[in-house]
Coordinates of all heavy atoms in Angstrom, one line a residue:
F22 N 69.3 130.0 113.6 CA 70.2 128.8 113.5 C 69.4 127.6 114.1 O 68.9 127.6 115.2 CB 71.5 129.0 114.3 CG 72.4 127.9 114.3 CD1 73.2 127.6 113.1 CD2 72.6 127.1 115.4 CE1 74.0 126.5 113.1 CE2 73.4 126.0 115.4 CZ 74.2 125.7 114.3
Q23 N 69.4 126.5 113.3 CA 68.6 125.3 113.8 C 69.6 124.2 114.3 O 69.1 123.2 114.8 CB 67.8 124.7 112.6 CG 66.8 125.7 112.1 CD 65.7 125.9 113.2 OE1 65.1 125.0 113.7 NE2 65.4 127.2 113.5
G24 N 70.8 124.2 114.0 CA 71.8 123.2 114.4 C 72.6 122.7 113.2 O 72.4 123.1 112.1
L25 N 73.4 121.7 113.5 CA 74.3 121.2 112.5 C 73.7 119.9 111.9 O 73.1 119.1 112.6 CB 75.7 120.8 113.0 CG 76.5 122.0 113.5 CD1 77.8 121.5 114.2 CD2 76.8 122.9 112.3
L26 N 73.9 119.7 110.6 CA 73.4 118.5 110.0 C 74.7 117.7 109.6 O 75.6 118.2 109.0 CB 72.7 118.8 108.7 CG 72.2 117.6 107.9 CD1 71.2 116.8 108.7 CD2 71.6 118.1 106.6
A27 N 74.7 116.4 110.1 CA 75.9 115.6 109.9 C 75.5 114.3 109.3 O 74.4 113.7 109.7 CB 76.7 115.4 111.2
S28 N 76.2 113.8 108.4 CA 75.9 112.5 107.8 C 76.4 111.4 108.7 O 77.3 111.5 109.5 CB 76.6 112.3 106.4 OG 77.9 112.4 106.5
G29 N 75.7 110.3 108.6 CA 76.1 109.1 109.4 C 77.4 108.4 108.8 O 77.7 108.6 107.6
Q30 N 78.0 107.7 109.6 CA 79.2 106.9 109.1 C 78.7 105.6 108.5 O 78.0 104.9 109.2 CB 80.2 106.7 110.3 CG 80.9 107.9 110.7 CD 81.7 108.6 109.6 OE1 82.4 107.9 108.9 NE2 81.6 109.9 109.5
P31 N 79.1 105.2 107.3 CA 78.7 103.9 106.8 C 79.4 102.8 107.6 O 80.4 103.0 108.2 CB 79.2 104.0 105.3 CG 80.3 105.0 105.4 CD 80.0 106.0 106.4
E32 N 78.7 101.6 107.5 CA 79.3 100.4 108.1 C 80.6 100.1 107.4 O 80.6 100.0 106.2 CB 78.3 99.3 108.0 CG 77.5 98.7 109.1 CD 78.1 98.8 110.5 OE1 79.0 98.1 110.9 OE2 77.6 99.7 111.2
P33 N 81.7 99.8 108.1 CA 82.9 99.4 107.4 C 82.8 98.1 106.8 O 82.1 97.2 107.3 CB 84.0 99.5 108.5 CG 83.3 99.6 109.8 CD 81.8 100.0 109.5
V34 N 83.4 97.9 105.7 CA 83.4 96.6 105.0 C 84.4 95.7 105.7 O 85.5 96.1 106.1 CB 83.9 96.8 103.5 CG1 83.9 95.5 102.8 CG2 83.0 97.8 102.8
S35 N 84.0 94.4 105.9 CA 84.9 93.5 106.7 C 86.2 93.3 106.0 O 87.3 93.2 106.7 CB 84.2 92.2 106.9 OG 83.9 91.6 105.7
S36 N 86.2 93.2 104.7 CA 87.5 93.0 104.0 C 87.5 93.8 102.7 O 87.0 93.3 101.7 CB 87.7 91.5 103.7 OG 88.9 91.3 102.9
P37 N 88.0 95.0 102.7 CA 88.0 95.8 101.6 C 88.7 95.2 100.4 O 88.2 95.3 99.2 CB 88.7 97.1 102.0 CG 88.6 97.1 103.5 CD 88.5 95.7 103.9
K38 N 89.8 94.5 100.6 CA 90.5 93.8 99.5 C 89.6 92.8 98.8 O 89.5 92.7 97.6 CB 91.8 93.2 100.1 CG 92.6 92.5 99.0 CD 93.9 92.0 99.7 CE 94.7 91.3 98.6 NZ 94.5 89.9 98.5
D39 N 88.9 92.0 99.6 CA 88.0 90.9 99.1 C 86.9 91.6 98.3 O 86.5 91.1 97.2 CB 87.5 90.0 100.2 CG 88.6 89.1 100.8 OD1 89.6 89.0 100.1 OD2 88.3 88.6 101.9
Q40 N 86.3 92.7 98.9 CA 85.2 93.3 98.2 C 85.6 93.9 96.9 O 84.9 93.9 95.9 CB 84.7 94.5 99.1 CG 83.9 94.0 100.3 CD 82.5 93.5 99.9 OE1 81.9 94.0 99.1 NE2 82.2 92.4 100.6
L41 N 86.8 94.5 96.8 CA 87.3 95.0 95.6 C 87.6 94.0 94.5 O 87.2 94.1 93.4 CB 88.7 95.8 95.9 CG 89.3 96.4 94.6 CD1 88.4 97.4 93.9 CD2 90.6 97.0 95.0

Side-chain angles (χ1 to χ4, degrees):
F22 181 76
Q23 298 293 311
L25 295 174
L26 178 63
S28 62
Q30 291 296 320
E32 255 329 285
V34 180
S35 61
S36 174
K38 182 178 179 265
D39 290 344
Q40 289 287 321
L41 176 59

